[in-house]
Structures are given as C-alpha cells and as structure tokens.
Amino acid sequence: MKKWTVGVPDKKTVSALMLGCGVSSLAASALAAKGYSSPESVAERMNTDELSDPFLIKDMQEAADTINSAIENGEKICIYGDYDCDGIMSTVILYSYLMEAGADVTYYIPERSEGYGLNMKAIDKISDGGVTLIVTVDNGISAIPEAEYIYAMDMKLVVTDHHQQGEQLPKAEAVVDPHRHDCFSTFKYMCGAGIALKLVAALDGGDYTMALEQFGDLAAIATVADIVSLTGENRFLVSYGMELINNTDRPALMALKEVCGLSDKSVSTQSIGFGIGPRINAAGRFGSPRAAAELFLCEDYDEAMEAARELDRLNNMRKDTENTIVSEIFSMIDESPDLVRGRVIFLCGKNWHHGVIGIVASRIMEHFGKPCFIASETEGEIRGSARAFGEFSVFGALSACSESLEKFGGHPAAGGFTIKEGKADRFRQLLEKYALENHRTMPVMELKADAPLTPQELNVQNIKGLDLLEPFGTDNEKPLYYMENVQILDIFPLSDGAHSKLRIKLGFTQAEALVFRKSPDELIVSKGDVCDIIASLGVNEYRGTVSPAIIVSGIRPHSFQQSRYFAALSAFEAFLRGEELPKSYYSHMYPQREDVVKIYKSIPDNGICMDTLYIKLNDSNINYCKFCAAAEALRQLGLVTVSCAESKIKRVRVTQKADLGSAPVLVSLKSRLG
C-alpha cells in the first residue's frame, strides 16, 4: 500500500491560469499542482514552439567544422553509440545523415557485455578499420583515458553526450554536452538523440528543417524512452515527432507499430514507453543492439517486418526472463520473509541475467515499497543494480558501503555496483547501517494526486481540456485527481475477473471507473461502501456515446487512517529486526487469542490479500500491529501460508491443534512485555 498525498492548488492561481492560458479547470489545477504560478511560467516551460539555435551549445561549431572537414577530405568516420534505445537512435540519426552527405562512415555500438561507453578493445577494432575520426553519441563525457588512447592511436575524437560532466573533460576536437560546466545553452535536458539531431542541424548550417523532417520521429522515441524531462524543447520535439510517427512511412516504424498492435491506433508517449521503446531496448539486452540499428536503417518493409518480429521475440524473452527472476525472488521471500523486513531489500541470485536486474529491482521496489538492491553472481563475480525513491540515495548508500565494493556508480534514484569476493553479507550489513543512521524513519512510497475533483468538474468537455497538457512524461506526468466520499453502486468483473469495473456516484454525478489487474474479490471495497479514489481521467467513446473514463490508481475506504497504518507497519518491522521500541508499544502489539481466532476465521477459503483482510475486519480492537503479529504467528505455526507475490494469506488444512503461545513472534513479544 502507498501513502496518499493530495495537492490543494491555490484557487487564485488556478483562476489566473484558466484565464491566462485558456485551459479547463482540471488542466489549470494540474498546472498549479506542478508549481506553475502564472501564465508566463507555463509559456516558458510548456509552450515552446521551436528548438534553440544548435550553436548555443558549447563546442557545437567546432564539432560541425571537424566533421564537415572530415567529409570533404574523405576521412573515415565512426559513430560510436550505446546499446540502449537512446544510443541506438542517436547512432542511426547521425549515421544516416552522414551517409546521405556522402561521408565514408561506419558505426560501432558496444554489446552490453562490453559495458557502457568507449573501451580500449573497441578503439583498437575501430583503428584497425582505418578510421581517423570517432564521433560519440550518448556517451563520452567521462571517457578520459579512452580519449587519450584515441589520440595515441593517431585518431581524433568528437564527443556528443547529455550526461553530467566529471572533474575534467576528455581530450577531443569538440565536447558537445549541455551539462558542461562552461556551457550556457538555454536548455539542458535533451537526451543523446536530441543532441545528435542538433548536431545534424549544425552540420546543415543551423537550419532544423531537414533534421526534424528526417529524424524528428527517432529523436522523439529516444526522448520518451530515456525518461528525460518532457518540458521546454523536449515537449516541442516529442510533439513534432509524434505527428511523424502517427503518419509514418518509415519501414521500421510501420513494422514496429504492427508487432506492437498499434497499426490502427494513435501512438502516444505511453505506447512508446511500454511498446516501441522496450522492443528497441530488448536488442541490447538479449541480442545485439546492432539488430535494432539495422532495423531503422532498413528501407524495405518486408525486411523491416522480419527484423521487427525478431525484436518482438527478444522482448518476449526479456519479459519471460524478468518474470522468472521475479518468481524466484518471490519464492525466496516466501521461504524467508526476513529478506524483505529490513529497511532496505538486498537479494542475490545465481546467474540472473544482468540485462534485466535493473528492471527487476524496480519491480521489487514497487511491490514492497522499499529501496531495492538486486545482484547476480556469475562465475564468482557479483554485480547488481539498485533503485530507490524519496530521500533515500542509492549513490549515498553505495558510497557508505564502498569498503565491500569493487566499483560502483549512480545517482540518488538508481545505480550499479560490483561486490568484492566474500563481502556480500558485509554489504548487506553496511546497507542496513546506512539506512538506520540516515533514515530513522524510512521514506514511504507515495501515490500523489494533483488536486481534488469536484462532481461538477467530472464532464467530458473539462476532461478533453487535459489534451492541451500532452505529451505526458517525466516532469509532466499525466494528472491524477482525488475523489472523496465516492459511493460504490456496483462492481462487475471484466476479462474473466482479471479486471474490475465500478459504477460509482460522486455527489449527484454517476460514472464508471476501471480498476486494472484486480478482480472484484481482490478489491478492498465492496458494493455499498463509501470510499476515496485517486484516478486519471480520459474520455470513452462507444457507439456514438461519449462519457468520462476514470482509470483508478488507488482506492480505499473513506475511513482509512493511513498515518496509523504506516506507523504500525514501521513499528512491527522494527520489532522483527530487534530494534528497541518504547515499552508501551509491545502491549499494543500483542494480540489476544480471540483476536487471532477472529483473523483466522475471517480468511476465505480461496485466500485474501493481507491489507484487504485487515480493512474488511474493521475491528477497532485490532490495530495493524496486532494484525501483523497475529498473521505472523499463524504463518510460523503452519496454519496459514502468505504469498508475497500476491500479498495473499491463505488457510492451511490442519489435523491437530496448535499451541498459539509457542509461535516465536509471540514468545518474543511476551518477553518484552516485562
């Protein structure tokens, strides 16, 4: 369960934005919630209608001059990319332009096994191929020794990148990166493909017309897939590119849209983020990134279709591998629940595919609501990926654990690491030590609503006004709205119970709401209940009838007291870890026999989600600490099973009585009662 927060935008600001920007009340409240205080601030970040002069980026002129000179002199050029979607699109953009310009050009994208960025072996191969100029895309800003080696091999280097600069710049003819400390360009947040597109415009004298027409679609895909800020110039670039994608005659995109089931649908940023982007990334994870590059360089539809099907196959392999690892992790946790009761989750497996453990870390973090470090041991080496949220810093944690690590890197939300031989247990200890010392109260995952929704606002015209905020993405997420005191009139199963449809009443307004990936039995509310909902809004068109579409992100009873819930959960887990709590806590945590019996008898034959069971008990005498202690006692005595995959508790058939007081959790609690 996530902690809910609800924005309450200033009414005067909302009114000013409605008048000054000509937007609906829903759009204005969403803008106000995102921190926009005036029509001018909206115009500055949201209404960009062009890309800034490419030559505003430091060294762009030098980069263009160097490359154009190499073309004129017949020098061999190598574009050096990266194996993710952004790196592949960047490579295709610059390679395609140089080919059309008559350059002697090749490209090199390292395999994932080579690691990110320039490496010495690749430089040797490139040199052996007669290359005299290497141009990086989406990498290179940190390649200090590799750059020196390039010049030692009698080649030259141009760097184009969008990552942060370190203490020094690499040796190069030009280093084009908006994050250079001495670069004063107006927009800093483009991905590698956006920088590549700007370089193409610079090579063409600074005019964007050709660059956007030829490569706006590829830059838009990379911008969405690389999760960079969808504000400023990126909004313009993605909006322009989406038009190209939806009207494409590019064989690669026609083929990819078909395998994604998008041929007859309008492509959105969500379609790219969850459909097109993952298939491009799958090439670098489970095949060769070259396969994705060749797809986008292909000019024959039949060939493109064959290549797109291969990427689809690789993506299915990625999903299968990812699901297999997650299933293994859930089995490990079902066997040893203590693995997820620490402040931080650290899990290590044998031969887990390194191409997906970052995705797995995100899924486990999302499922358990804790910072997550996932590692895989392969041939004696333990490498991992980490994900976190809130104020917990992955990089800070890894820095604190440095004595147990061979190497590490990252930023607050994500990172990678390699553990020294025999130091995995020490790494776990240091992680917990860092978390305890820096976060006595650990951050809780949040579900944030931009603003409350009134019944009067729930109409088609108002909702359609949200279209002006598109495209949605990082820093411009699709708005979520808080609906309070919603009456559940009825609940229906959809897709054989895979999803649920609710008929609801907000004030005097009736509507339908969809809850994906939860059957009616799994919902924590029932017909007739009064609940609160956080949801996104859209428009549903069916047989000529247009109505509001409500997609539920969170639902719970109106009476739910979240502060008590999270405080109780934190206290119970602290007790299980052996942390000292105030004496008074233990008596409030200890369940009586009748409490445990009531909980046990309330479990339906087919099992139930733990949180759903607690909420449906609705017993003021059973606080959440008592509930957790009782459930753990039942599990320890073999009277129930608890599946972490579904957070589901289920009764076990028993043939003899169990001594409730012998459950280790209750023995430990009783010893602390004094």
Side-chain angles (χ1 to χ4, degrees):
M1 192 176 293
K2 293 181 179 179
K3 179 181 177 181
W4 287 17
T5 57
V6 181
V8 185
D10 178 71
K11 290 182 179 178
K12 289 183 179 179
T13 301
V14 172
S15 296
L17 292 173
M18 287 176 67
L19 289 171
C21 301
V23 297
S24 69
S25 64
L26 289 177
S29 62
L31 288 169
K34 295 179 192 303
Y36 296 100
S37 57
S38 66
E40 292 74 24
S41 63
V42 174
E44 183 181 343
R45 295 192 72 197
M46 300 284 282
N47 294 343
T48 306
D49 58 1
E50 62 180 1
L51 299 178
S52 61
D53 185 342
F55 295 111
L56 290 176
I57 302 177
K58 182 77 173 177
D59 275 10
M60 184 65 86
Q61 184 69 65
E62 290 80 355
D65 291 345
T66 300
I67 296 169
N68 278 328
S69 176
I71 296 171
E72 291 168 11
N73 296 330
E75 297 179 44
K76 190 165 187 177
I77 304 169
C78 179
I79 313 303
Y80 193 104
D82 183 33
Y83 47 73
D84 70 355
C85 181
D86 187 21
I88 293 166
M89 295 297 96
S90 304
T91 303
V92 171
I93 288 170
L94 191 53
Y95 176 80
S96 298
Y97 172 79
L98 293 179
M99 281 288 289
E100 289 294 319
D104 182 3
V105 61
T106 185
Y107 70 87
Y108 187 93
I109 303 176
E111 302 294 328
R112 182 172 283 270
S113 58
E114 295 177 64
Y116 169 77
L118 289 161
N119 68 78
M120 304 301 191
K121 287 184 179 178
I123 293 168
D124 286 339
K125 287 182 190 174
I126 292 167
S127 177
D128 290 344
V131 168
T132 57
L133 173 64
I134 296 176
V135 183
T136 70
V137 287
D138 192 30
N139 73 98
I141 193 69
S142 60
I144 310 302
E146 292 84 1
E148 292 288 346
Y149 188 63
I150 285 169
Y151 279 86
M153 298 293 286
D154 203 25
M155 293 185 289
K156 292 183 291 187
L157 175 66
V158 168
V159 169
T160 75
D161 202 349
H162 71 116
H163 296 98
Q164 296 289 333
Q165 177 193 333
E167 292 183 6
Q168 68 180 99
L169 292 172
K171 181 178 181 179
E173 306 302 301
V175 179
V176 178
D177 188 330
H179 289 293
R180 275 183 62 163
H181 302 159
D182 58 351
C183 178
F184 302 105
S185 57
T186 53
F187 188 70
K188 304 289 186 181
Y189 306 113
M190 284 198 146
C191 66
I195 302 299
L197 184 140
K198 286 198 167 190
L199 175 58
V200 166
L203 290 166
D204 202 36
D207 185 354
Y208 280 109
T209 305
M210 179 279 301
L212 283 169
E213 287 179 356
Q214 293 295 315
F215 308 117
D217 53 353
L218 306 187
I221 290 169
T223 300
V224 173
D226 215 48
I227 321 179
V228 292
S229 178
L230 266 192
T231 56
E233 294 183 38
N234 282 339
R235 281 181 60 76
F236 167 77
L237 185 55
V238 171
S239 296
Y240 189 100
M242 297 295 283
E243 286 288 327
L244 295 176
I245 293 167
N246 280 309
N247 298 285
T248 190
D249 59 0
R250 187 187 291 273
L253 282 177
M254 292 168 67
L256 272 178
K257 284 167 70 174
E258 185 165 331
V259 299
C260 293
L262 298 170
S263 291
D264 56 350
K265 298 177 183 176
S266 178
V267 175
S268 64
T269 51
Q270 188 174 23
S271 308
I272 294 172
F274 293 95
I276 293 172
R279 284 167 173 80
I280 298 169
N281 275 321
R285 296 182 191 279
F286 281 85
S288 170
R290 194 173 184 93
E294 292 299 320
L295 165 61
F296 279 90
L297 293 169
C298 177
E299 296 182 358
D300 179 79
Y301 176 76
D302 290 334
E303 288 180 25
M305 195 66 229
E306 187 177 339
R309 288 195 183 105
E310 174 61 11
L311 293 196
D312 190 51
R313 185 187 71 80
L314 293 174
N315 190 52
N316 287 331
M317 189 186 299
R318 184 270 304 171
K319 288 191 283 189
D320 290 344
T321 303
E322 181 187 321
N323 289 335
T324 297
I325 295 172
V326 169
S327 294
E328 283 185 38
I329 286 173
F330 283 153
S331 295
M332 289 166 62
I333 296 166
D334 286 348
E335 191 73 27
S336 304
D338 287 345
L339 288 171
V340 291
R341 286 172 174 163
R343 292 172 171 269
V344 178
I345 296 172
F346 169 58
L347 299 164
C348 184
K350 293 271 190 182
N351 299 315
W352 287 343
H353 197 290
H354 288 288
V356 298
I357 58 173
I359 306 173
V360 169
S362 293
R363 284 181 59 178
I364 299 300
M365 176 189 75
E366 186 75 21
H367 190 87
F368 292 101
K370 294 183 178 184
C372 188
F373 295 70
I374 302 288
S376 174
E377 182 178 352
T378 306
E379 296 179 355
E381 182 185 59
I382 301 177
R383 283 193 291 134
S385 289
R387 299 291 185 270
F389 58 92
E391 295 180 355
F392 188 96
S393 171
V394 166
F395 187 74
L398 292 174
S399 298
C401 300
S402 59
E403 70 173 65
S404 62
L405 299 174
E406 291 281 0
K407 57 183 178 180
F408 65 92
H411 50 83
F417 56 94
T418 301
I419 301 176
K420 290 179 180 176
E421 188 176 352
K423 294 290 185 179
D425 288 339
R426 179 59 178 159
F427 176 65
R428 186 193 306 275
Q429 292 166 4
L430 290 170
L431 275 179
E432 285 293 316
K433 182 173 182 285
Y434 170 83
L436 179 62
E437 291 176 352
N438 291 275
H439 300 279
R440 187 72 198 184
T441 300
M442 290 293 290
V444 175
M445 291 198 87
E446 293 185 345
L447 179 62
K448 298 180 181 180
D450 292 85
L453 179 73
T454 64
Q456 296 77 18
E457 290 178 304
L458 191 57
N459 61 73
V460 169
Q461 185 177 358
N462 207 6
I463 294 170
K464 281 187 173 180
L466 293 173
D467 292 347
L468 291 173
L469 303 185
E470 292 194 29
F472 296 121
T474 305
D475 294 335
N476 186 44
E477 288 81 4
K478 190 169 188 177
L480 293 174
Y481 295 93
Y482 174 63
M483 304 163 67
E484 189 177 20
N485 282 317
V486 177
Q487 186 179 355
I488 307 292
L489 301 177
D490 215 340
I491 301 176
F492 308 95
L494 293 178
S495 302
D496 296 324
H499 315 294
S500 299
K501 180 169 75 173
L502 315 178
R503 194 157 59 84
I504 63 173
K505 186 177 182 182
L506 178 65
F508 294 106
T509 303
Q510 291 192 25
E512 291 182 344
L514 298 178
V515 186
F516 289 113
R517 292 177 294 280
K518 279 191 183 293
S519 69
D521 291 340
E522 294 171 321
L523 296 175
I524 60 177
V525 293
S526 304
K527 181 179 177 179
D529 286 353
V530 175
C531 65
D532 299 333
I533 290 173
I534 291 180
S536 61
L537 304 175
V539 172
N540 183 46
E541 297 185 28
Y542 182 69
R543 292 182 177 175
T545 302
V546 183
S547 59
I550 301 170
I551 309 300
V552 175
S553 295
I555 185 169
R556 65 192 193 190
H558 177 63
S559 59
F560 184 73
Q561 296 177 307
Q562 70 174 12
S563 57
R564 288 188 179 183
Y565 171 90
F566 288 111
L569 178 60
S570 176
F572 182 67
E573 289 194 335
F575 158 70
L576 291 178
R577 291 192 295 266
E579 295 175 20
E580 201 62 41
L581 296 171
K583 279 266 185 194
S584 60
Y585 277 39
Y586 301 117
S587 57
H588 291 295
M589 202 179 286
Y590 193 90
Q592 299 303 311
R593 179 178 180 80
E594 57 266 29
D595 298 330
V596 183
V597 170
K598 181 175 183 178
I599 291 168
Y600 181 74
K601 287 184 175 179
S602 298
I603 302 170
D605 291 339
N606 60 342
I608 189 171
C609 169
M610 289 274 284
D611 285 339
T612 304
L613 174 62
Y614 170 68
I615 288 169
K616 288 191 172 181
L617 278 171
N618 195 26
D619 188 332
S620 59
N621 292 319
I622 304 177
N623 62 50
Y624 194 62
C625 269
K626 281 185 182 179
F627 174 79
C628 290
E632 178 64 6
L634 290 169
R635 187 194 70 80
Q636 289 176 345
L637 294 172
L639 298 174
V640 301
T641 59
V642 179
S643 164
C644 71
E646 301 168 294
S647 300
K648 195 170 189 177
I649 187 168
K650 194 171 183 179
R651 286 190 298 201
V652 175
R653 286 181 178 271
V654 290
T655 55
Q656 56 187 30
K657 288 187 177 182
D659 177 10
L660 186 62
S662 67
V665 65
L666 299 186
V667 171
S668 179
L669 263 176
K670 199 165 190 177
S671 70
R672 300 195 186 195
L673 288 173

